[in-house]
Amino acid sequence: MNLSAAELAAQTPSTDGRVLRGAKTRTAIVEALFELFKQGIYTPTTKQIAEQAQTSVRSIFQHFEDMETLYADLLAVQTVRITPLMESLSADGTLEQRLTELQAQRGQLYELVSPARHALATRPNISKLITQGLSDLSAELRGQLLSQFAAELSVASTQSAADSVEWLDLLWSFESWDRLRNIQHLSVEEAGRSLCAATLRVLP
Amino acid sequence: MNLSAAELAAQTPSTDGRVLRGAKTRTAIVEALFELFKQGIYTPTTKQIAEQAQTSVRSIFQHFEDMETLYADLLAVQTVRITPLMESLSADGTLEQRLTELQAQRGQLYELVSPARHALATRPNISKLITQGLSDLSAELRGQLLSQFAAELSVASTQSAADSVEWLDLLWSFESWDRLRNIQHLSVEEAGRSLCAATLRVLP
């Protein structure tokens, strides 16, 4: 897990005020971009970002080589934020307990990443680094489901388990969550409850 | 259902060669855009479109006021193409027959619209007309599921039927199809079979 330059800088004690102010500005710019995404402004201008961060356009260009670097920084910060959430998922307990754990984690995770995911979707030419990051996350989330329901999957036939894995991966994906929330207009609680109930149907 | 200007023009017999040539060029431009989307080029330049259509950039601007108009025309043509597919869906027969009908229709439909859907996703500021069109289609597809599984849904309790409708709407959505095909890497046949088997699990 790589910390972003901004988070690293913010965490490093420094007696150099200039460096500290620089790191603060850099963080403020990334946070401004997060905030604009939350407002549904997915392709903000540098002027909009500067205003939101209460800094200057010039300062943005001093801190970030280009927009791609800024987006990469935002994703690095987001990765740092979702890591405790990913790591805290417990695969112990009864099926009901494991399902409750999963519902809580995925709900928080997807609500957190939703603005940046929507913003990224509008950028067709994202870097290989970002594409790889999303693909790694996707694989990790699928792996979690295999652990979370290992007890149920291991006793099923190969074909039955394979079917269930695809259904679980689909149901607990960001794409499903996003559709339930924003197209089918379910609340966080309704979406979570719906996915839990569906899981009980699609397990082997 | 509105025919696009290009399709209307193409269907109207005309002795005026100039009008006919104009309509042909307009159609060629729309088809070129379709082709570029299929190649994964979601935000082509007018130069790329002109080359693909074997016409000039000037001709594109003669036929289309702006890119928004061109995109609207493409969606109108696509709507004309998917209409027979939407209308041919039979809600008669055994559950297995209705499921087979649905699988065939949705598979064809989603494979057909996939390039344009991916291209549209990269445009954050699509027109209200397009947004409304997508929303209407979404409602129509949900309505189809209610008809297709009316027999099973009608005998269930209100809560049970409501849960099943959300699951069916999610499973048979473009978003699910797209994820199964492009992230979970299932073939058309595998995705269809997987959704049919999942449907049997989530019906009341």
Side-chain angles (χ1 to χ4, degrees):
Chain A
M1 189 67 55
N2 293 316
L3 287 173
S4 74
E7 299 244 321
L8 271 179
Q11 289 178 2
T12 308
S14 167
T15 49
D16 186 335
R18 199 176 49 82
V19 171
L20 205 60
R21 273 196 304 282
K24 274 188 182 171
T25 306
R26 199 177 164 101
T27 303
I29 293 167
V30 172
E31 291 304 326
L33 191 58
F34 264 122
E35 185 52 39
L36 291 169
F37 288 171
K38 277 188 202 160
Q39 293 169 21
I41 303 167
Y42 298 139
T43 50
T45 61
T46 43
K47 187 160 175 282
Q48 281 176 306
I49 300 169
E51 275 170 14
Q52 182 69 38
Q54 296 185 294
T55 185
S56 63
V57 170
R58 187 165 160 267
S59 159
I60 294 176
F61 287 114
Q62 278 171 345
H63 285 89
F64 299 93
E65 209 173 308
D66 51 26
M67 283 301 273
E68 196 64 39
T69 314
L70 173 50
Y71 277 67
D73 228 56
L74 178 138
L75 286 180
V77 170
Q78 183 159 291
T79 303
V80 168
R81 287 186 185 156
I82 67 177
T83 301
L85 212 51
M86 300 283 291
E87 287 172 352
S88 69
L89 183 63
S90 165
D92 293 330
T94 64
L95 173 57
E96 196 184 47
Q97 285 168 334
R98 283 176 278 132
L99 208 42
T100 305
E101 285 275 332
L102 183 69
Q103 173 185 0
Q105 187 234 32
R106 293 287 163 107
Q108 279 184 68
L109 175 66
Y110 292 149
E111 290 297 313
L112 182 70
V113 303
S114 181
R117 284 292 294 257
H118 288 160
L120 269 186
T122 67
R123 299 172 66 81
N125 301 313
I126 53 173
S127 71
K128 282 192 181 161
L129 198 76
I130 293 176
T131 309
Q132 190 56 49
L134 285 175
S135 171
D136 289 349
L137 178 62
S138 190
E140 196 175 343
L141 292 172
R142 184 177 169 111
Q144 277 191 335
L145 296 171
L146 295 177
S147 310
Q148 208 68 6
F149 302 111
E152 290 74 21
L153 294 169
S154 62
V155 295
S157 73
T158 312
Q159 181 59 51
S160 167
D163 279 346
S164 289
V165 168
E166 297 303 338
W167 296 331
L168 292 169
D169 198 12
L170 173 61
L171 287 171
W172 289 101
S173 67
F174 173 74
E175 290 80 3
S176 288
W177 185 263
D178 194 40
R179 186 182 161 91
L180 289 177
R181 295 277 290 121
N182 298 312
I183 297 181
Q184 299 181 215
H185 304 298
L186 302 192
S187 67
V188 170
E189 290 70 28
E190 288 166 343
R193 194 193 60 75
S194 180
L195 291 177
C196 285
T199 299
L200 296 177
R201 300 284 192 102
V202 305
L203 280 173
Chain B
M1 189 66 57
N2 293 317
L3 287 174
S4 73
E7 299 245 322
L8 272 178
Q11 287 178 2
T12 307
S14 168
T15 49
D16 185 335
R18 199 177 47 83
V19 170
L20 205 61
R21 274 196 304 281
K24 275 188 181 169
T25 306
R26 199 176 163 100
T27 304
I29 294 166
V30 172
E31 291 304 329
L33 190 58
F34 265 121
E35 184 52 38
L36 291 169
F37 288 171
K38 277 188 203 161
Q39 293 170 21
I41 303 167
Y42 297 140
T43 50
T45 60
T46 43
K47 187 160 173 284
Q48 281 176 306
I49 300 169
E51 274 169 14
Q52 182 70 38
Q54 297 186 293
T55 185
S56 63
V57 169
R58 187 164 160 267
S59 160
I60 295 176
F61 288 114
Q62 277 171 346
H63 284 89
F64 299 93
E65 211 172 308
D66 50 27
M67 282 301 273
E68 196 63 38
T69 315
L70 173 51
Y71 277 68
D73 230 55
L74 178 138
L75 286 180
V77 171
Q78 183 160 290
T79 303
V80 168
R81 289 186 183 155
I82 68 177
T83 301
L85 212 49
M86 300 282 292
E87 287 171 352
S88 69
L89 184 63
S90 166
D92 294 329
T94 64
L95 174 57
E96 196 184 48
Q97 285 167 334
R98 285 175 278 133
L99 209 41
T100 305
E101 286 275 332
L102 184 68
Q103 173 185 0
Q105 187 234 32
R106 293 287 163 105
Q108 279 184 66
L109 176 64
Y110 293 149
E111 291 296 313
L112 184 69
V113 303
S114 181
R117 284 292 294 260
H118 289 159
L120 269 185
T122 66
R123 298 172 67 81
N125 301 313
I126 54 171
S127 72
K128 281 189 181 164
L129 197 76
I130 292 176
T131 309
Q132 190 58 50
L134 285 174
S135 171
D136 290 348
L137 179 62
S138 190
E140 196 175 341
L141 291 172
R142 184 177 169 111
Q144 277 190 337
L145 296 171
L146 295 177
S147 310
Q148 208 69 5
F149 303 110
E152 290 75 21
L153 294 168
S154 63
V155 296
S157 73
T158 312
Q159 181 59 49
S160 167
D163 279 345
S164 290
V165 168
E166 298 302 338
W167 297 329
L168 292 169
D169 199 12
L170 173 61
L171 287 171
W172 289 100
S173 67
F174 174 74
E175 289 80 3
S176 288
W177 185 263
D178 195 39
R179 185 182 161 90
L180 289 178
R181 294 277 289 121
N182 298 312
I183 298 182
Q184 298 180 215
H185 304 298
L186 303 192
S187 67
V188 170
E189 291 69 29
E190 288 166 342
R193 195 192 60 75
S194 180
L195 291 177
C196 285
T199 299
L200 295 177
R201 300 283 191 105
V202 304
L203 280 172

